[in-house]
Amino acid sequence: MSRPDLFVVCKNCGAEISPYVTECPYCGRRVRKRAPRVEIARDGDPRARQRRVSRARPRRPRLPARSASERRPFVSGAVFVLSAVLTFAAEIGVSLDELGALIPGQFEQPWRLLTAPLVHTSVAYLAIAAGIAVAALRALELRFGSAAALLAYLGCAVPASAVALAAGRSGLPFADAVAVVAGANGLAMGLLVAYVLERRLAAPGALAAAVDPLALAVASALLLALPLAVPEASAAAAAGGIAGGVAVGLVLSLWRRRRGPLIDAGI
């Protein structure tokens, strides 16, 4: 395909004019009868490909995933509010049985496996057990999202309550000789184990960079000592919570590896 000249010279005034005009803009003399035909670039012409690319509709940019600071800890917030409400109800005289606590040896009401960790007999018990549980659950929720936090709650609360329920009349050395089992000591132990295990498997030094080891040691000691100070706190629930926490931590670690590194790895 021939390419037109960049300019032509007017024979009357000698000015350089465009090859696509029929009259000289300087002297007004007619240069040609008609303007030259404009060639259309074919598919084989590189200019045609460049033109198609430039005219192509730009892709809509992908919205970035929400960072940890933009997420809302709905699940951990709901656990805290429900625990506070049920604890207040227990303080004003509502029976623990009506609030959803566990009765060892009775398996007729499985929904108590989920409600028993929310019922506390005192504000001090609430501050220690539920405080540690909510802090660990919130860290997991900000790191993985609300759906994963809900699964973490179920994965730690159900084993903790189930072991406490089964061990009440089993005669095992750590069985509880109490009429009612309530509180989040087993749940908190499970969530703490899940968080520690997932951080240890995430990267070398990730746990120490996120949490003070002394704070973890103090929290673990308080949870293990709660059955000695609070009659409703179950040592069997702590054992079940540890087992559930190991399972939850491994599942979250596999989830993280499949979905790639998270946005905010410092949580």
Side-chain angles (χ1 to χ4, degrees), residues 13 26 35 61 73 78 85 88 93 112 116 144-145 160 183 200 209 225 255:
C13 63
Y26 301 102
V85 170
F88 175 76
R112 293 179 182 269
F144 291 96
R200 288 292 300 270
W255 187 2

Side-chain angles (χ1 to χ4, degrees), residues 34-237:
R34 64 183 63 180
R37 181 180 180 183
V38 178
E39 297 290 344
I40 300 176
R42 303 299 178 183
D43 291 342
D45 191 348
R47 293 177 299 174
R49 292 194 298 269
Q50 183 178 4
R51 188 177 296 109
R52 286 197 301 269
V53 171
S54 62
R55 293 180 180 177
R57 184 178 180 181
R59 294 183 178 181
R60 179 179 298 178
R62 296 180 59 186
L63 296 176
R66 291 193 301 174
S67 63
S69 60
E70 296 174 340
R71 300 185 187 130
R72 296 293 182 267
F74 296 109
V75 176
S76 55
V79 170
F80 175 77
V81 171
L82 289 176
S83 299
V85 170
L86 294 178
T87 301
F88 175 76
E91 288 281 356
I92 63 177
V94 181
S95 66
L96 298 180
D97 186 15
E98 294 178 356
L99 294 177
L102 283 174
I103 301 177
Q106 296 186 9
F107 301 88
E108 291 81 7
Q109 297 175 324
W111 55 269
R112 293 179 182 269
L113 298 176
L114 301 178
T115 59
L118 303 176
V119 182
H120 298 81
T121 54
S122 65
V123 176
Y125 188 18
L126 172 72
I128 296 175
I132 296 174
V134 170
L137 185 62
R138 182 178 184 275
L140 293 174
E141 186 170 8
L142 291 179
R143 184 165 168 79
F144 291 96
S146 297
L150 180 60
L151 294 178
Y153 177 85
L154 297 176
C156 294
V158 172
S161 300
V163 173
L165 187 65
R169 306 282 176 84
S170 64
L172 295 175
F174 55 86
D176 300 283
V178 295
V180 177
V181 176
N185 67 308
L187 171 67
M189 182 61 71
L191 293 174
L192 195 63
V193 169
Y195 176 75
V196 170
L197 180 60
E198 194 280 325
R199 294 301 294 168
R200 288 292 300 270
L201 296 177
L207 178 62
V211 182
D212 186 5
L214 180 60
L216 287 177
V218 172
S220 301
L222 288 175
L223 292 176
L224 293 175
L226 275 177
L228 302 176
V230 181
E232 293 79 14
S234 171

